[in-house]
Amino acid sequence: MSIITLSLLLCADLLDFVIGYLTVTIEPLPPVVMGDTVTLKCNFRTDGNLREIVWFRVTEGGTSKQKIFTYDAMYNTNFSHMEDFRRREDLLYQSTVRLPEVQMEDDGPYECHVGIYDRASREKVVLASGSITLNVMSPPKSISVEAANQPARFNRYEAQNFTLVCIVTGGKPAPVVYFKRDGELIEVHPFTSSEKVENRGLLSANDNQPLISRELDDTKVQKSLSFLGPYSEPVRLDKDRPQRSYTSGAPGQEEPSPTTEVIPETVISREFPRWVLSSSPLYFFNHTQSELHDGTMEVQAMLTWHLNPQLDNEALFSCEVKHPALSMPMKAEVTLSAPKGPKLSVAPSRAKVGDTVRIKVEGFQMGPKANEVFPEPLFTWTRVGGPLLDGSEERFGKVLVLERVPAELNGSMYRCTVQNPLGSTNTHTRLIVFENPRIKKEKKQLNLGDSAGDMLGPSLMMLLLSLTLELT
C-alpha cells in the first residue's frame, strides 16, 4: 500500500514539474456603499511563465461576461497593476482592478482568469480562475409618512381604526423600520393576514381601561374632562339647535339690502367625540417590501391602532430607519392634529349680481401651528337652509364656485365643514351680493322698450282705422 502511495506522489511531482502549477484566489471584500472606490485584488501563485490575466464582470445571472481588464504577456513588458515577489522558486503575483465610485449596476460577481505556459510546450496554456461577489449597498433615498384611507370623515359616535404608512425607497438591502410616539419606541404586535381588518388595533370590552387614570398626564385629564358638560354628557356644538341668525346687530334686524355693504361674518364651531377609549391601545405592525427596477428595495411599514382623538391629538409619531449604509437613523415625523377653524376668502371681495364667486379655504385660524393639519382633512360645503346654487346638497374640495350669482343669494349663509378622524370643525360665512349697474341699466332699457311698444300699439291701430275709413 505504501509503495502505491509513493508512486502516486512521484507521478504528481513529475506531472507538476512538466506542466507547472497555478493557484488563483481573490481577496474577500465586505459590503461597500454606493459611491465608494473599490479595489479588487487577484492573487495567484505559480512556478511557470505568465501568459495572460483577464478580469470579467458577470452579468445577466451568469449567462454573460463583460471583459473589464486584460494583460497579455506576449505584447506587454511592464506589469501594469501587478506586483511580484520571489519566494523560493515560486512567483507570487497580484493583479488589482480599481472601480471608482461604484454604483448599483456594479453589484454582482467578478472573475479573475490567469493563464501560464505549459512547461512541456509553449503552445499550450494552463488556465485557472477565482471569483468574488461585490455587494454594493445603497442607503435609502427617501422616507415619508402617510395616513391610509384619507381624507376621511370624523365619526363622533363610534371609534375607528387608524393606520400610518411609512414608505422607504431606495435602500439595499432592505432597511429596518420602526415607529416611535413622542420619542418613545412603540411596542407593536405583528399583524397576520388571517386577522380581520375591522378588528385590528381594537381592544375588547374587558381590556378597556377608564380614560381617567394615574398613567395619564394631568393636562390630558383636564383636556378630556373639559369636553364633558355639567352632567357628564359630551358637549354637542351646532347640533340639534334651532337655526340662529348670523346677522350683526340686534335681533330682528332686517336683512341688508343689495345696496348696503356689510362685512361677511365668520362663525366657528368645534365638535368632539361622544365616546372614550383606553389610554393604552394595542399597536399592530405589518410591512411589505418589493424590489425596484434598479435593484433597490421599497419598504412599506404600517402601524394600526384604535384611534382616540382626545389623547392622540397633538401626538408626535415618527418613522425611523436603520441601515448599514447610514451613519445615523433616517426618520420622518408627523403630528396628529385635528383641523382648527378654516380661514375663508371670498373673491371678488365685492360680488355683484352675475359675477362668478369663489369661496376658498386659505388656511386655519387657531393656534401657532394651525396650518399643520394631519391627516389631510376633508372639506365639505353646504348652504344653510337650502341647496347650493347648482341644486346639489353638498360639494367637496377647498374651493366652492358659484357661477353667475343672482340677487336672491344676497344674505345666504354657507357652511364649510373641515374634518379628519381626529375632529371636525366648521365655519359659516355670509354672501353679500351687490347690484350690478350694467345689468340694472340693460333691464331698464328693456323695460322702456316694452313700454314704448305698449304705447305705440293703440296709435298704430287708430291710424290704420282712419286710413281704412278714408278709402271707403
Side-chain angles (χ1 to χ4, degrees), residues 11 29 61 74 105 161 212 217 223 226 229-230 235 245 256 260 299 319 333 378 380 404 415 441 464 468:
C11 292
L29 277 177
M74 290 184 63
E105 54 266 23
N161 281 339
I212 304 173
D217 183 77
K223 185 176 180 181
S226 66
V235 178
S245 173
T260 303
V299 176
C319 171
E333 297 178 339
L378 177 67
T380 308
R404 296 185 294 276
R415 179 191 295 114
K441 182 178 180 181
L464 290 174
T468 303

mmCIF file of all heavy atoms in Angstrom, residues 11 29 61 74 105 161 212 217 223 226 229-230 235 245 256 260 299 319 333 378 380 404 415 441 464 468:
data_model
loop_
_atom_site.group_PDB
_atom_site.id
_atom_site.type_symbol
_atom_site.label_atom_id
_atom_site.label_comp_id
_atom_site.label_asym_id
_atom_site.label_seq_id
_atom_site.Cartn_x
_atom_site.Cartn_y
_atom_site.Cartn_z
ATOM 1 N N CYS A 11 4.473 10.495 -9.265
ATOM 2 C CA CYS A 11 3.830 10.869 -10.531
ATOM 3 C C CYS A 11 3.292 12.285 -10.474
ATOM 4 O O CYS A 11 3.374 13.047 -11.442
ATOM 5 C CB CYS A 11 2.710 9.881 -10.844
ATOM 6 S SG CYS A 11 3.298 8.214 -11.249
ATOM 7 N N LEU A 29 -14.055 40.838 0.078
ATOM 8 C CA LEU A 29 -14.397 42.234 0.342
ATOM 9 C C LEU A 29 -15.668 42.301 1.176
ATOM 10 O O LEU A 29 -16.629 41.561 0.909
ATOM 11 C CB LEU A 29 -14.623 43.001 -0.961
ATOM 12 C CG LEU A 29 -13.401 43.549 -1.699
ATOM 13 C CD1 LEU A 29 -13.843 44.204 -2.999
ATOM 14 C CD2 LEU A 29 -12.668 44.574 -0.837
ATOM 15 N N GLY A 61 -27.246 37.181 -14.671
ATOM 16 C CA GLY A 61 -27.386 35.944 -13.924
ATOM 17 C C GLY A 61 -26.351 34.893 -14.254
ATOM 18 O O GLY A 61 -26.592 33.696 -14.025
ATOM 19 N N MET A 74 2.614 38.542 -23.907
ATOM 20 C CA MET A 74 3.331 38.489 -25.189
ATOM 21 C C MET A 74 3.596 39.884 -25.718
ATOM 22 O O MET A 74 4.597 40.115 -26.398
ATOM 23 C CB MET A 74 2.518 37.697 -26.218
ATOM 24 C CG MET A 74 2.449 36.211 -25.938
ATOM 25 S SD MET A 74 1.576 35.337 -27.250
ATOM 26 C CE MET A 74 2.653 35.662 -28.647
ATOM 27 N N GLU A 105 -25.298 49.261 -10.499
ATOM 28 C CA GLU A 105 -25.066 48.355 -11.620
ATOM 29 C C GLU A 105 -23.728 47.618 -11.516
ATOM 30 O O GLU A 105 -23.496 46.643 -12.241
ATOM 31 C CB GLU A 105 -25.133 49.108 -12.950
ATOM 32 C CG GLU A 105 -24.228 50.303 -13.040
ATOM 33 C CD GLU A 105 -24.921 51.585 -12.646
ATOM 34 O OE1 GLU A 105 -25.930 51.521 -11.912
ATOM 35 O OE2 GLU A 105 -24.454 52.659 -13.089
ATOM 36 N N ASN A 161 -60.467 52.567 13.483
ATOM 37 C CA ASN A 161 -59.046 52.269 13.339
ATOM 38 C C ASN A 161 -58.343 53.379 12.574
ATOM 39 O O ASN A 161 -58.946 54.079 11.756
ATOM 40 C CB ASN A 161 -58.843 50.948 12.604
ATOM 41 C CG ASN A 161 -59.040 49.756 13.512
ATOM 42 O OD1 ASN A 161 -58.943 49.869 14.728
ATOM 43 N ND2 ASN A 161 -59.326 48.606 12.941
ATOM 44 N N ILE A 212 -59.748 58.211 32.701
ATOM 45 C CA ILE A 212 -59.035 58.922 33.746
ATOM 46 C C ILE A 212 -58.271 57.904 34.578
ATOM 47 O O ILE A 212 -58.843 57.068 35.259
ATOM 48 C CB ILE A 212 -60.014 59.707 34.637
ATOM 49 C CG1 ILE A 212 -60.857 60.659 33.772
ATOM 50 C CG2 ILE A 212 -59.280 60.484 35.719
ATOM 51 C CD1 ILE A 212 -61.954 61.340 34.529
ATOM 52 N N ASP A 217 -51.341 62.049 31.828
ATOM 53 C CA ASP A 217 -50.813 63.352 32.181
ATOM 54 C C ASP A 217 -51.947 64.241 32.664
ATOM 55 O O ASP A 217 -53.068 64.172 32.176
ATOM 56 C CB ASP A 217 -50.132 63.968 30.950
ATOM 57 C CG ASP A 217 -49.497 65.287 31.269
ATOM 58 O OD1 ASP A 217 -48.425 65.277 31.883
ATOM 59 O OD2 ASP A 217 -50.080 66.317 30.895
ATOM 60 N N LYS A 223 -57.960 68.164 29.843
ATOM 61 C CA LYS A 223 -58.457 68.363 28.490
ATOM 62 C C LYS A 223 -59.606 67.417 28.184
ATOM 63 O O LYS A 223 -60.589 67.787 27.547
ATOM 64 C CB LYS A 223 -57.324 68.148 27.486
ATOM 65 C CG LYS A 223 -57.695 68.450 26.048
ATOM 66 C CD LYS A 223 -56.486 68.290 25.165
ATOM 67 C CE LYS A 223 -56.839 68.580 23.717
ATOM 68 N NZ LYS A 223 -55.684 68.409 22.831
ATOM 69 N N SER A 226 -62.723 68.580 30.061
ATOM 70 C CA SER A 226 -63.312 69.805 29.537
ATOM 71 C C SER A 226 -64.287 69.541 28.418
ATOM 72 O O SER A 226 -65.074 70.412 28.067
ATOM 73 C CB SER A 226 -62.204 70.738 29.037
ATOM 74 O OG SER A 226 -61.550 70.160 27.918
ATOM 75 N N GLY A 229 -70.049 68.006 29.625
ATOM 76 C CA GLY A 229 -70.944 69.018 30.143
ATOM 77 C C GLY A 229 -71.120 68.882 31.640
ATOM 78 O O GLY A 229 -70.485 68.064 32.305
ATOM 79 N N PRO A 230 -71.988 69.685 32.251
ATOM 80 C CA PRO A 230 -72.167 69.653 33.715
ATOM 81 C C PRO A 230 -72.709 68.335 34.218
ATOM 82 O O PRO A 230 -72.542 68.007 35.377
ATOM 83 C CB PRO A 230 -73.125 70.818 33.962
ATOM 84 C CG PRO A 230 -73.806 71.059 32.659
ATOM 85 C CD PRO A 230 -72.806 70.709 31.611
ATOM 86 N N VAL A 235 -70.352 67.551 25.089
ATOM 87 C CA VAL A 235 -70.933 68.756 24.512
ATOM 88 C C VAL A 235 -71.156 68.542 23.026
ATOM 89 O O VAL A 235 -70.289 68.044 22.324
ATOM 90 C CB VAL A 235 -69.987 69.958 24.750
ATOM 91 C CG1 VAL A 235 -70.564 71.202 24.109
ATOM 92 C CG2 VAL A 235 -69.782 70.161 26.246
ATOM 93 N N SER A 245 -79.594 83.317 13.836
ATOM 94 C CA SER A 245 -79.312 84.375 12.877
ATOM 95 C C SER A 245 -77.869 84.798 13.033
ATOM 96 O O SER A 245 -77.376 84.999 14.148
ATOM 97 C CB SER A 245 -80.250 85.567 13.122
ATOM 98 O OG SER A 245 -79.874 86.646 12.307
ATOM 99 N N PRO A 256 -79.707 92.891 5.083
ATOM 100 C CA PRO A 256 -79.157 94.041 4.355
ATOM 101 C C PRO A 256 -79.655 94.063 2.922
ATOM 102 O O PRO A 256 -79.803 93.038 2.281
ATOM 103 C CB PRO A 256 -77.643 93.800 4.423
ATOM 104 C CG PRO A 256 -77.498 92.330 4.654
ATOM 105 C CD PRO A 256 -78.683 91.942 5.480
ATOM 106 N N THR A 260 -76.502 97.827 0.433
ATOM 107 C CA THR A 260 -75.847 98.049 1.717
ATOM 108 C C THR A 260 -74.646 97.137 1.840
ATOM 109 O O THR A 260 -74.772 95.932 1.697
ATOM 110 C CB THR A 260 -76.821 97.775 2.869
ATOM 111 O OG1 THR A 260 -77.966 98.607 2.705
ATOM 112 C CG2 THR A 260 -76.159 98.083 4.212
ATOM 113 N N VAL A 299 -39.855 49.616 0.969
ATOM 114 C CA VAL A 299 -40.483 49.020 2.145
ATOM 115 C C VAL A 299 -41.666 49.879 2.560
ATOM 116 O O VAL A 299 -41.547 51.113 2.634
ATOM 117 C CB VAL A 299 -39.481 48.895 3.309
ATOM 118 C CG1 VAL A 299 -40.175 48.351 4.558
ATOM 119 C CG2 VAL A 299 -38.324 47.991 2.920
ATOM 120 N N CYS A 319 -41.377 57.765 12.107
ATOM 121 C CA CYS A 319 -40.944 56.524 11.482
ATOM 122 C C CYS A 319 -39.439 56.630 11.293
ATOM 123 O O CYS A 319 -38.954 57.582 10.665
ATOM 124 C CB CYS A 319 -41.655 56.326 10.141
ATOM 125 S SG CYS A 319 -40.999 54.953 9.157
ATOM 126 N N GLU A 333 -41.299 62.578 10.538
ATOM 127 C CA GLU A 333 -42.205 62.812 11.658
ATOM 128 C C GLU A 333 -43.511 63.436 11.184
ATOM 129 O O GLU A 333 -43.532 64.208 10.219
ATOM 130 C CB GLU A 333 -41.557 63.740 12.693
ATOM 131 C CG GLU A 333 -40.304 63.189 13.342
ATOM 132 C CD GLU A 333 -39.688 64.159 14.319
ATOM 133 O OE1 GLU A 333 -39.984 65.374 14.199
ATOM 134 O OE2 GLU A 333 -38.928 63.737 15.195
ATOM 135 N N LEU A 378 -60.934 66.598 5.143
ATOM 136 C CA LEU A 378 -61.970 66.565 4.114
ATOM 137 C C LEU A 378 -62.757 67.863 4.199
ATOM 138 O O LEU A 378 -63.252 68.232 5.276
ATOM 139 C CB LEU A 378 -62.888 65.365 4.326
ATOM 140 C CG LEU A 378 -64.079 65.217 3.365
ATOM 141 C CD1 LEU A 378 -63.596 64.920 1.951
ATOM 142 C CD2 LEU A 378 -65.020 64.129 3.858
ATOM 143 N N THR A 380 -66.047 70.045 3.102
ATOM 144 C CA THR A 380 -67.415 69.873 2.612
ATOM 145 C C THR A 380 -68.136 71.215 2.699
ATOM 146 O O THR A 380 -68.108 71.872 3.749
ATOM 147 C CB THR A 380 -68.172 68.817 3.442
ATOM 148 O OG1 THR A 380 -67.398 67.624 3.504
ATOM 149 C CG2 THR A 380 -69.516 68.504 2.811
ATOM 150 N N ARG A 404 -72.398 82.951 -11.807
ATOM 151 C CA ARG A 404 -73.469 83.905 -12.143
ATOM 152 C C ARG A 404 -74.487 83.997 -11.000
ATOM 153 O O ARG A 404 -75.658 83.624 -11.137
ATOM 154 C CB ARG A 404 -74.158 83.502 -13.450
ATOM 155 C CG ARG A 404 -73.235 83.554 -14.659
ATOM 156 C CD ARG A 404 -73.983 83.277 -15.935
ATOM 157 N NE ARG A 404 -74.487 81.916 -15.987
ATOM 158 C CZ ARG A 404 -73.764 80.871 -16.384
ATOM 159 N NH1 ARG A 404 -72.509 81.048 -16.764
ATOM 160 N NH2 ARG A 404 -74.289 79.671 -16.417
ATOM 161 N N ARG A 415 -71.773 77.051 4.804
ATOM 162 C CA ARG A 415 -71.025 76.367 5.839
ATOM 163 C C ARG A 415 -69.906 75.540 5.200
ATOM 164 O O ARG A 415 -70.150 74.742 4.293
ATOM 165 C CB ARG A 415 -71.921 75.437 6.641
ATOM 166 C CG ARG A 415 -71.186 74.654 7.736
ATOM 167 C CD ARG A 415 -72.031 73.549 8.337
ATOM 168 N NE ARG A 415 -73.187 74.071 9.037
ATOM 169 C CZ ARG A 415 -74.443 73.873 8.662
ATOM 170 N NH1 ARG A 415 -74.704 73.169 7.571
ATOM 171 N NH2 ARG A 415 -75.441 74.374 9.355
ATOM 172 N N LYS A 441 -78.968 98.680 -15.846
ATOM 173 C CA LYS A 441 -79.199 99.568 -16.989
ATOM 174 C C LYS A 441 -79.836 98.818 -18.151
ATOM 175 O O LYS A 441 -80.771 99.292 -18.788
ATOM 176 C CB LYS A 441 -77.867 100.186 -17.412
ATOM 177 C CG LYS A 441 -77.984 101.174 -18.558
ATOM 178 C CD LYS A 441 -76.622 101.785 -18.881
ATOM 179 C CE LYS A 441 -76.743 102.777 -20.030
ATOM 180 N NZ LYS A 441 -75.414 103.365 -20.360
ATOM 181 N N LEU A 464 -104.413 103.031 -38.725
ATOM 182 C CA LEU A 464 -104.899 102.093 -39.736
ATOM 183 C C LEU A 464 -106.410 102.199 -39.896
ATOM 184 O O LEU A 464 -106.955 102.104 -41.011
ATOM 185 C CB LEU A 464 -104.502 100.663 -39.324
ATOM 186 C CG LEU A 464 -103.001 100.325 -39.406
ATOM 187 C CD1 LEU A 464 -102.754 98.927 -38.835
ATOM 188 C CD2 LEU A 464 -102.511 100.380 -40.852
ATOM 189 N N THR A 468 -108.472 103.343 -43.400
ATOM 190 C CA THR A 468 -109.480 102.468 -43.974
ATOM 191 C C THR A 468 -110.781 103.218 -44.232
ATOM 192 O O THR A 468 -111.453 103.055 -45.265
ATOM 193 C CB THR A 468 -109.737 101.296 -43.005
ATOM 194 O OG1 THR A 468 -108.484 100.629 -42.777
ATOM 195 C CG2 THR A 468 -110.733 100.319 -43.592
#
